[in-house]
């Protein structure tokens, strides 16, 4: 079973690029990597999902090296409103056999 | 669409009382799950369901019951509340496979 490990906290400043890395050493061939964002008093919200190489959407990029033992969520030019907790999730299997391996979250503080 | 709704938003119980946390989704998702979130421990899966009539235990099922009589609803029952069950509870739903999970706004439970 994969285990996901991510930094507990990170600090940044407005306008900077922020990269949050998650380790998932025992990831299997068909597992997906997903990232969620959570603001205080709200449920987590999907940001991005990928399987390999690079995925980009309107809010973030996800970089996954060839060995897939880690992944990096990249937030370009953060603002104060990006202050949140970011969770890495490995999705193993599908249907009745689906397992979700959550990281403990990285608390990102964006300073002015 | 309302997405995933949870009631109540906040509840105070005395030790030994029972209650049901409600969760409903209007996206016709097969997969629904309940999490608890405690400081420093991330999201821990309590129970999940891959479809109406099918439920299974997650990581921390003791003290909780679930049922899934319809696709839309997935209530979580606390049989005899204990202070250790003080937490924030999130319900989530998704399509089967590696589908994006949609979370409800959460229920904050305090057991005295």
């Amino acid at each position: 079973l994969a285990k996901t490990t991510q930094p507990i906290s990170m600090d940044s400043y407005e306008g900077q690029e922020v990269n949050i890395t998650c380790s998932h050493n025992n990831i299997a061939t068909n597992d997906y990597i997903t990232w969620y964002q959570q603001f205080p008093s709200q449920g987590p919200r999907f940001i991005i999902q990928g399987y390999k190489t690079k995925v980009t959407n309107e809010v973030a990029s996800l970089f996954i090296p060839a060995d897939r033992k880690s992944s990096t969520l990249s937030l370009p030019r953060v603002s104060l409103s990006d202050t949140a907790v970011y969770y890495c999730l490995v999705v193993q299997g599908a249907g009745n056999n689906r397992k979700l391996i959550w990281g403990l979250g990285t608390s990102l503080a964006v300073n002015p | 669409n309302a997405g995933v709704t949870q009631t109540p938003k906040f509840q105070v119980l005395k030790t030994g009382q029972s209650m049901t946390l409600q969760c409903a989704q209007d996206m016709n998702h097969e997969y629904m799950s309940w999490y608890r979130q405690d400081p420093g421990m991330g999201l821990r899966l309590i129970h999940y369901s891959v479809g109406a009539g099918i439920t299974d235990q997650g990581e921390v099922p003791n003290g909780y019951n679930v049922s899934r009589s319809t696709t839309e609803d997935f209530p979580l029952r606390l049989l005899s509340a204990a202070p250790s069950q003080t937490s924030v509870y999130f319900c989530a739903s998704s399509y089967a496979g590696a589908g994006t999970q949609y979370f409800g706004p959460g229920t904050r439970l305090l057991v005295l």
Side-chain angles (χ1 to χ4, degrees):
Chain A
L1 210 61
K3 179 181 176 182
T4 51
T5 304
Q6 52 184 126
I8 293 173
S9 63
M10 294 182 69
D11 276 285
S12 183
Y13 292 93
E14 283 189 291
Q16 288 189 331
E17 178 184 77
V18 171
N19 295 310
I20 306 174
T21 297
C22 178
S23 298
H24 27 76
N25 286 331
N26 294 328
I27 192 168
T29 305
N30 295 325
D31 295 348
Y32 278 82
I33 298 147
T34 312
W35 285 81
Y36 286 77
Q37 176 191 55
Q38 186 180 26
F39 296 113
S41 302
Q42 294 185 24
R45 184 182 66 146
F46 172 86
I47 302 175
I48 196 166
Q49 182 179 73
Y51 177 72
K52 61 181 178 181
T53 60
K54 178 183 174 182
V55 178
T56 298
N57 61 23
E58 62 275 9
V59 297
S61 295
L62 179 60
F63 298 92
I64 305 169
D67 65 7
R68 306 203 323 128
K69 291 185 177 181
S70 66
S71 60
T72 299
L73 173 72
S74 181
L75 304 172
R77 300 181 60 80
V78 294
S79 65
L80 296 177
S81 62
D82 292 315
T83 293
V85 178
Y86 293 83
Y87 288 95
C88 171
L89 166 67
V90 170
V91 181
Q92 295 190 320
N96 291 11
N97 297 317
R98 189 172 84 169
K99 300 292 181 190
L100 305 175
I101 315 299
W102 290 89
L104 293 182
T106 298
S107 180
L108 172 66
V110 179
N111 302 292
Chain B
N1 287 350
V4 179
T5 58
Q6 291 183 238
T7 56
K9 285 191 170 69
F10 181 69
Q11 183 72 46
V12 179
L13 291 179
K14 294 181 180 177
T15 296
Q17 287 185 315
S18 63
M19 79 160 293
T20 299
L21 280 64
Q22 301 291 346
C23 174
Q25 53 92 9
D26 60 358
M27 297 172 281
N28 203 31
H29 286 164
E30 303 98 334
Y31 195 95
M32 295 186 74
S33 52
W34 276 101
Y35 293 90
R36 61 176 291 174
Q37 186 173 48
D38 303 289
M41 303 191 76
L43 291 158
R44 290 186 293 169
L45 184 65
I46 304 173
H47 285 285
Y48 66 97
S49 169
V50 298
I54 306 170
T55 64
D56 207 346
Q57 295 181 349
E59 184 184 352
V60 287
N62 292 341
Y64 308 95
N65 272 356
V66 292
S67 60
R68 185 97 179 268
S69 56
T70 66
T71 299
E72 294 78 20
D73 299 297
F74 191 44
L76 177 73
R77 297 183 187 83
L78 278 70
L79 309 172
S80 177
S84 61
Q85 293 179 304
T86 291
S87 186
V88 181
Y89 292 84
F90 289 103
C91 178
S93 74
S94 71
Y95 290 114
T100 302
Q101 290 195 82
Y102 294 84
F103 283 81
T107 293
R108 192 172 296 270
L109 177 67
L110 175 62
V111 182
L112 302 174

